[in-house]
Amino acid sequence: MSAELKRALRIGVGGPVGCGKSSLIAALCGELSGELRLGVVTNDIYTTEDAEFLRSTGVLASDRIVAVQTGCCPHTAIRDDITVNLDACEELERHQGPLDLVLVESGGDNLTAVFSPALADVQIFVIDVAGGDDIPRKGGPGIARADLLVINKTDLAPYVGSDVKRMLYDAAQRRGALPVHALSLVSAPHAGPVADWIREQLRAYVAAGGHLHSSASGAPGHHHGHAHTH
Amino acid sequence: MTAAGAVASLLLADSRFPAGTYAHSLGLEQAVSEGLDIDSVAPFMSARLRLVAQPDAALSVAARRAAVSGADGDAILAELDDEHGARCPSPVLRDSARRLGSQLLRSAATAWPCGTIDRYRSDSRSTPRPVALGVVGAVAGLSDLEVAMVALYDDAATVACAALKLLGLDPARTTRWLADLAPRIGAMAVEVADDMRPVAQQPPPAAVAIELAASRHADRSERFFVS
């Protein structure tokens, strides 16, 4: 990777509690750590379970994983007052860097939580089929504007009465041309499609000299996935 | 004191100012886990004001006085950093002050772009929040009194805000605690702003119980707050 970039690409991973953010990040680290210098910042709610889980998988050296406390305000920490996370990202790069990619995992939150573009260059919003197949229809900024929407745990759909096709259809209605991946870490333990999307983002980030335009930045309802340029 | 400085002090005291204080309970989380009950929160705030916030506010005022003179004050700011280190024996609390100062300076550097904040950000190794607040106060146009008010009020308000999350309370009640403390905070701020002695000749923080509890808090694996 080119040396003149100011800092690593930062990708936010958000979504409700229990949707599988930590497992997805573990899978991505396993898939990408051979080719990229990776760091992870977790925003744990109360325990350091997310960070510990990730350390226990052994996919990353434990000092590449940093946990920050968010004082019961997981939402604030990724959107309204991101200073705690910005300091954590920069410290991680200063001590472990240079890095190519930092994944910032939000503390599980509700459907209205999105990352500030000053913290995450692009963001992935994760939901799962067990949370109810009406979630894409309910919308919210994460569903509508995240750069990538992941509908996780599709292997559970038959057991919880969720219609994945309908979820994909509703998501497309909300998102225009922005990408959606239906994912099961049981059948795709390396999260291949998401890893490929990340590789693509990183190529674009490097090609633009350390810039990336997020669809989550700017006025709601203005999709950037379709064919026009700014 | 100017009207513009007063407005800037509101901005700095507003919990919406992005300086990361929402992630701190300033010792309340550990105190609650060790048995502090609802009726003891207001006395806890009051004790912090006297033992921690007032000496910290004195540092902020000294830093403001140094920073208003621009580059000439840089050496004094470095001394105040050391003074903070000397007055804060707990490594956990020193680290916490460094983080809070760094976060405050990060947002302030965008809010009030100027050489004074940039120089302090790059020169200071410890960026303790009390000194950082004085630097930012100078740049934002606050008077000594306003810097002292913000320093004192912010300490009490941070604890009150954490109490809501830790104890299950009517938010109007924690606001009442702050309202009750307002005259005391005002009087203390005047006292701090009028004290022209060098910080080294003023009383240091003296909250040994809070310092010891901070270490126990940092060792916990389960907690909501950084401090």
Side-chain angles (χ1 to χ4, degrees):
Chain A
M1 144 164 261
S2 76
E4 67 269 24
L5 292 182
K6 240 169 71 188
R7 60 164 175 80
L9 173 67
R10 293 199 295 249
I11 297 185
V13 180
V17 176
C19 66
K21 293 183 294 298
S22 299
S23 301
L24 174 61
I25 287 176
L28 289 169
C29 289
E31 172 70 10
L32 294 169
S33 61
E35 59 193 275
L36 298 175
R37 294 165 295 186
L38 275 173
V40 179
V41 175
T42 66
N43 285 211
D44 287 303
I45 300 290
Y46 183 51
T47 63
T48 51
E49 204 155 317
D50 289 341
E52 291 310 323
F53 165 73
L54 210 50
R55 289 188 181 113
S56 73
T57 61
V59 288
L60 277 189
S62 70
D63 42 14
R64 291 277 189 94
I65 302 158
V66 172
V68 302
Q69 284 83 33
T70 56
C72 306
C73 306
H75 215 130
T76 305
I78 61 165
R79 191 187 58 199
D80 310 275
D81 182 348
I82 57 176
T83 51
V84 177
N85 273 308
L86 287 176
D87 271 11
C89 288
E90 285 176 13
E91 251 174 65
L92 188 59
E93 286 204 67
R94 203 164 43 243
H95 296 141
Q96 303 296 323
L99 301 176
D100 302 310
L101 174 66
V102 174
L103 296 171
V104 183
E105 177 183 359
S106 82
D109 210 310
N110 59 40
L111 294 176
T112 63
V114 279
F115 286 82
S116 160
L119 173 60
D121 298 297
V122 284
Q123 50 192 295
I124 302 172
F125 199 75
V126 185
I127 58 173
D128 71 296
V129 298
D133 62 5
D134 53 348
I135 285 192
R137 192 161 43 81
K138 287 181 177 171
I143 302 282
R145 294 159 62 198
D147 299 279
L148 175 65
L149 177 66
V150 171
I151 298 175
N152 201 10
K153 308 186 194 175
T154 52
D155 50 295
L156 294 181
Y159 307 106
V160 295
S162 279
D163 181 346
V164 177
K165 272 192 187 140
R166 178 185 156 187
M167 293 180 84
L168 287 166
Y169 174 82
D170 288 343
Q173 292 296 107
R174 292 271 175 214
R175 293 173 57 76
L178 290 169
V180 184
H181 287 315
L183 185 73
S184 161
L185 290 174
V186 174
S187 54
H190 302 298
V194 181
D196 284 342
W197 181 84
I198 288 177
R199 291 185 183 104
E200 219 175 277
Q201 301 303 309
L202 195 58
R203 272 195 297 276
Y205 179 75
V206 173
H211 294 283
L212 210 49
H213 187 84
S214 168
S215 60
S217 172
H222 188 159
H223 298 303
H224 279 265
H226 46 233
H228 71 178
T229 51
H230 288 269
Chain B
M1 256 168 76
T2 63
V7 175
S9 73
L10 295 178
L11 182 52
L12 276 169
D14 191 332
S15 68
R16 289 164 291 192
F17 187 91
T21 44
Y22 66 90
H24 291 254
S25 76
L26 302 183
L28 187 70
E29 181 169 45
Q30 188 60 25
V32 166
S33 77
E34 293 177 2
L36 184 124
D37 61 10
I38 287 176
D39 293 331
S40 306
V41 178
F44 180 87
M45 287 157 68
S46 199
R48 270 198 65 89
L49 276 177
R50 182 166 46 87
L51 300 171
V52 182
Q54 184 169 8
D56 278 355
L59 263 179
S60 298
V61 167
R64 183 210 161 265
R65 288 175 186 151
V68 284
S69 54
D72 293 343
D74 288 356
I76 301 174
L77 291 178
E79 278 171 31
L80 292 173
D81 281 355
D82 292 345
E83 192 64 48
H84 178 269
R87 291 153 68 95
C88 183
S90 156
V92 171
L93 290 179
R94 277 204 302 275
D95 187 56
S96 173
R98 175 184 65 77
R99 288 171 188 279
L100 282 168
S102 157
Q103 290 159 194
L104 169 65
L105 291 165
R106 175 192 288 284
S107 291
T110 302
W112 296 281
C114 71
T116 305
I117 292 177
D118 292 344
R119 278 200 315 282
Y120 180 66
R121 264 187 108 185
S122 62
D123 293 353
S124 174
R125 272 169 296 126
S126 54
T127 63
R129 172 160 168 109
V131 180
L133 180 64
V135 173
V136 173
V139 171
L142 272 62
S143 64
D144 285 349
L145 179 60
E146 284 161 340
V147 164
M149 284 194 300
V150 170
L152 294 163
Y153 170 77
D154 190 67
D155 194 277
T158 300
V159 174
C161 187
L164 280 182
K165 291 155 188 160
L166 290 166
L167 285 164
L169 273 161
D170 177 355
R173 188 167 170 200
T174 54
T175 306
R176 163 80 187 267
W177 295 337
L178 286 168
D180 287 347
L181 280 173
R184 178 128 179 268
I185 289 173
M188 281 176 117
V190 169
E191 201 182 309
V192 169
D194 286 350
D195 197 331
M196 300 310 284
R197 289 174 299 170
V199 173
Q201 290 171 26
Q202 296 185 40
V208 179
I210 287 177
E211 285 163 8
L212 294 173
S215 297
R216 295 196 293 278
H217 185 258
D219 288 341
R220 285 170 56 175
S221 62
E222 301 194 337
R223 57 196 166 110
F224 290 113
F225 292 90
V226 183
S227 78

